[in-house]
Structures are given as structure tokens and as C-alpha cells.
Amino acid sequence: MQPRSKSFDSKADAERWARSLEAELDRCGALPDTRPSENTTLAQILTRYRDQVSPKKRSAVTEIARINAILRRPICHRTLALLSSADLATYRDERLRNVAPATVIRELNTISHAIDTARREWGIHLAQNPCKLVRRPSPPKGRTRRLEGNEEQILLAAADAGRVRYLRPLIVLAIETGMRRSELLALRWEHIDLAKRVAHLPMTKNGTSRDVPLSTRAVETLRALQRGESVTVFTAAPNAVRLAWQRLTRRVELEDLHLHDLRHEAVSRLFEKGFNVAEVASISGHRELRMLTRYTHLRAADLANRMG
């Protein structure tokens, strides 16, 4: 067996490298070729993952932006052989000072998946994925914000008074259908059957299609829209909708209300109307029924009235 040697900047790094080789020798009876992991940085792995793997995903745009943000961090200069769980824990703690726990969780998961891909498919030998040893921060509790009092009327009146004409129908359809923003913006006229009162979504966040029943109010809203030459019901870009919503809620002093809260409102109203869990899931597109417990934030006063 050929002796192995390598120079390090610190004794701790040298000892970590030696321990990993000894562990592999005990496990496999031979020393693996560690040169690729010693000569490849986390930045190189993430860049290759961004260019070769991310574009094949439905969430490509979001993941590519996330990886580009990670690549600006100093941790990316570490070689994979020297990347430790302690390095990643430090990265986690530093990021938590500036971004939400959910963002850090997604970043760590992306790093972890890139390392796993490198180990499985790109000839990078690592005894283990250090990212899997790092504790993820606790995710925030799901939002339970619902429309209260006359907030719906306030929103619609402000939308009518504003210059963004698509806001009112967008708000109404979000409340009446429970669709996600991305689903509403991708909704095509050819997939809407007003006679049968059904909107077909050929591709959703979960990677499956879904047929959404349309209430009388939803049908009336769609009929009132001028179809024109556009193939989609709404032609606005996601960022334009986000900014328009922010301006609207700021005007009416409801800045704590998110557009996605209207989906929560819609699902809660379905339960209040007596739909069961399976029926609500078929409308909302939730694949895991347990996720609906976060949305069924029913008002205690309404439940009390039903109890008699």
C-alpha cells in the first residue's frame, strides 16, 4: 500500500484527514482515492450542480438563485475533504442572523443534495456527507392569518379604487378556489370550462394535475374578465403581483396580510361549509392530509354557533 501524505494549514485539518483515511481503511480494507475531494471545493460542486442538475427541476429559477447566494459565502472556498459539520454549523448560525430559518433549511438541504450527487455520480469520495450531521433550525410555525371582520370588503374596495385592474379578480379567485398564486398566474382560458364550472391545472406545485371546482362567484368573476388575445387569465408577472399586493395592503393598513393567506382563508371556508378532509384536499391540491391541519383554523365563535 502506497503511503499517503498531504500538507495542511492547521493540525486540526490534518488530524481530521488522517482519521477519515483510517476509518475508510478499517471499513473497506483499502484506501480510497481521496484526491478528487481534496482538490474540489464546495463552490465547484455547487456550480456544477447549478448548471447540470437544477435546470431540470420545476423549481429551477428559485434553486439557481439560492445557489448563487450560497456561492458568495466564504464556506464555498473549503475543499470537500476538509468541509466539516462544524463549518456548516457555523454557516447556519451566521445565516440565521440575517435570514429566516426556512431559508437556512433550504440552503442546507441544497448543499446536502449537491454533495450527495457528487458522491454518487461524480466520483467524489467522502466517508459521509457532513451536511447530514448538522442540526436544522426549527422551522417557523405555519401562518394562521385569516380575513377578519370586513377586511375582504376593504381589500376589494381598495383594489377597485386602484389602477391595477387584475387585483380584484385575483383576490376573489384566490378566496373562492384556494389556488396558489403560481397556479392562478398560470391559469389558461383553454383549461376553463365555465359550463361545467371546472378549472383544469395541468401542472401544479406537487408535479401533478388538478381539477378545481368553481363557485358561482368564481364563474361570475371569470365571465366578467375580458379575455382578449391572452392565453392566460392573468398576464402579470409574479413580481409585479407581489409589488401590487404590497402597495394595496399598505394603503389599507393590512400589511400583516399575505397573498398566500387567502389560500388559507379559502381552505378554512371549505371546512366551515362542511367539506370533509378528502374533498378539501382534492380542491386545494394538498397531497399530505396532515398538512391541512395548518389551514383549518376555524373560528371558535363559528363552531360555537354550530354547537347550539
Side-chain angles (χ1 to χ4, degrees):
M1 182 181 299
Q2 292 291 327
R4 301 289 294 275
S5 63
K6 185 175 174 61
S7 299
F8 296 91
D9 294 330
S10 69
K11 181 179 179 181
D13 287 342
E15 291 175 342
R16 187 185 306 124
W17 178 77
R19 285 196 301 270
S20 67
L21 289 184
E22 290 170 354
E24 284 300 302
L25 183 59
D26 290 339
R27 189 171 67 88
C28 304
L31 289 178
D33 185 1
T34 60
R35 286 171 296 182
S37 64
E38 294 165 4
N39 297 322
T40 304
T41 64
L42 178 60
Q44 290 172 306
I45 288 298
L46 286 172
T47 300
R48 183 175 178 182
Y49 186 89
R50 178 197 65 191
D51 296 342
Q52 297 182 9
V53 179
S54 297
K56 300 175 183 177
K57 299 183 179 182
R58 292 185 60 247
S59 58
V61 174
T62 303
E63 184 168 89
I64 288 171
R66 183 183 309 128
I67 292 175
N68 287 338
I70 298 171
L71 286 170
R72 293 193 288 268
R73 313 301 297 183
I75 193 174
C76 290
H77 298 304
R78 296 287 278 179
T79 64
L80 294 180
L82 296 182
L83 183 66
S84 68
S85 57
D87 295 326
L88 290 159
T90 299
Y91 170 85
R92 174 200 63 202
D93 296 341
E94 290 176 349
R95 291 292 283 152
L96 283 172
R97 298 190 189 105
N98 300 299
V99 297
T103 299
V104 177
I105 292 172
R106 286 190 288 268
E107 290 180 357
L108 289 174
N109 289 344
T110 299
I111 293 172
S112 182
H113 196 252
I115 293 174
D116 276 343
T117 301
R119 294 175 70 203
R120 288 194 307 264
E121 302 181 12
W122 299 341
I124 301 294
H125 176 82
L126 290 173
Q128 60 186 353
N129 182 342
C131 207
K132 292 187 175 179
L133 303 177
V134 178
R135 178 182 56 81
R136 302 308 195 253
S138 299
K141 293 182 179 179
R143 288 176 59 83
T144 57
R145 176 70 159 89
R146 291 196 60 183
L147 294 173
E148 299 291 343
N150 63 341
E151 287 181 344
E152 181 178 345
Q153 289 69 36
I154 291 173
L155 282 172
L156 294 177
D160 289 338
R163 291 178 293 180
V164 183
R165 307 315 304 168
Y166 63 77
L167 266 182
R168 180 187 177 90
L170 185 73
I171 291 170
V172 172
L173 289 175
I175 294 173
E176 292 297 314
T177 67
M179 290 187 198
R180 303 175 178 91
R181 182 188 66 175
S182 59
E183 294 168 347
L184 286 167
L185 296 184
L187 186 61
R188 299 168 69 95
W189 286 111
E190 64 182 297
H191 294 148
I192 298 174
D193 189 329
L194 293 179
K196 293 182 178 179
R197 294 172 48 179
V198 172
H200 177 66
L201 304 177
M203 181 58 69
T204 67
K205 176 183 177 181
N206 295 327
T208 59
S209 62
R210 182 166 96 252
D211 288 331
V212 180
L214 300 174
S215 67
T216 301
R217 188 185 184 199
V219 170
E220 291 173 350
T221 299
L222 288 167
R223 282 193 171 130
L225 289 172
Q226 294 182 352
R227 179 167 179 172
E229 298 180 357
S230 173
V231 297
T232 57
V233 175
F234 299 102
T235 58
N239 192 53
V241 173
R242 179 181 64 83
L243 294 174
W245 176 262
Q246 288 179 351
R247 289 192 295 268
L248 176 69
T249 53
R250 193 178 301 123
R251 283 203 310 273
V252 297
E253 299 181 349
L254 290 176
E255 294 179 69
D256 66 321
L257 183 67
H258 299 177
L259 183 57
H260 192 74
D261 292 334
L262 301 185
R263 173 170 162 84
H264 174 85
E265 178 69 25
V267 173
S268 296
R269 289 186 184 186
L270 290 173
F271 278 106
E272 289 171 345
K273 290 177 180 178
F275 287 87
N276 61 42
V277 172
E279 290 169 334
V280 173
S282 70
I283 296 171
S284 66
H286 286 90
R287 296 181 66 178
E288 296 185 27
L289 299 186
R290 64 180 179 82
M291 290 294 293
L292 286 171
T293 59
R294 182 164 69 89
Y295 286 88
T296 56
H297 189 63
L298 308 183
R299 295 184 178 92
D302 293 336
L303 295 176
N305 290 333
R306 288 171 57 187
M307 292 173 67

